[in-house]
Amino acid sequence: MNDFVPKKVFFTRGVGRSSSQLQSFEEALRDAGIAQFNLVSISSIFPPYAEVVPREEGLKMLSPGQIIFTVLARNSSDELNRMVSSAIGLAIPRDRSRWGGYLSEHHSFGETENMAGRYAEKLAAEMLASTMGMKDKLVWDEEKEEYSLEDKILKTSHIASNAVVLRNGEWTTTVAAAVLIV
């Protein structure tokens, strides 16, 4: 069963607009490049030793109709001028033999893409720090623009999607996803 641990992960995002909420979600998935797959939502553990690859490389490893595992953030609204955001945060420890990393999903209204992304990144870093028993030692490194945990965190980052509802009666959906490839 160890072969079922994902080896690669890629990040993607999208925005969709339509007269129905479901169709706007479909359009957001299409914009993100993952509409042609059967998505299974999973919790937030980044697999030990998984490699982060570019979206284009990850998509080449998949086939239409394939079941894929995702940590998916999704938000939508049909309220005129409403800002919707979705974000995925990532925190990976330096010592990947002992700890997996964390992925977090965040869905918000009224936040810019950067605000939502930074918050998701913070959530992932806090979950990792808490698991390691070091939550009180987590700090934001302004120079590197990432969280650090003494010398324990190797990398934090995020991907986010943001849009504003532009028309009455039109649904706007944002998605952000971490796609795990087994």
Side-chain angles (χ1 to χ4, degrees), residues 94-110:
R94 187 171 311 283
D95 179 3
R96 295 179 71 185
S97 66
R98 186 156 177 228
W99 306 99
Y102 274 90
L103 295 160
S104 67
E105 61 271 10
H106 176 60
H107 336 268
S108 62
F109 295 102

Side-chain angles (χ1 to χ4, degrees), residues 13 82 90 111-112 157:
R13 64 185 181 167
R82 180 69 133 162
L90 169 67
E111 288 184 336
T112 65
S157 65

Side-chain angles (χ1 to χ4, degrees), residues 109-129:
F109 295 102
E111 288 184 336
T112 65
E113 189 172 289
N114 190 51
M115 289 168 63
R118 287 269 174 99
Y119 186 76
E121 186 174 340
K122 179 180 183 236
L123 288 173
E126 287 176 341
M127 289 188 294
L128 179 59

Side-chain angles (χ1 to χ4, degrees), residues 51-78:
E51 175 188 1
V52 176
V53 298
R55 172 181 143 163
E56 297 74 28
E57 184 179 329
L59 287 171
K60 288 178 185 174
M61 298 177 201
L62 303 172
S63 302
Q66 183 174 344
I67 295 170
I68 61 172
F69 299 99
T70 64
V71 176
L72 180 70
R74 162 187 181 180
N75 202 0
S76 60
S77 178
D78 66 348

Side-chain angles (χ1 to χ4, degrees), residues 10-27:
F10 71 89
F11 294 87
T12 188
R13 64 185 181 167
V15 174
R17 299 176 192 280
S18 183
S19 59
S20 74
Q21 186 176 23
L22 180 60
Q23 186 61 39
S24 72
F25 176 54
E26 170 73 16
E27 295 295 331

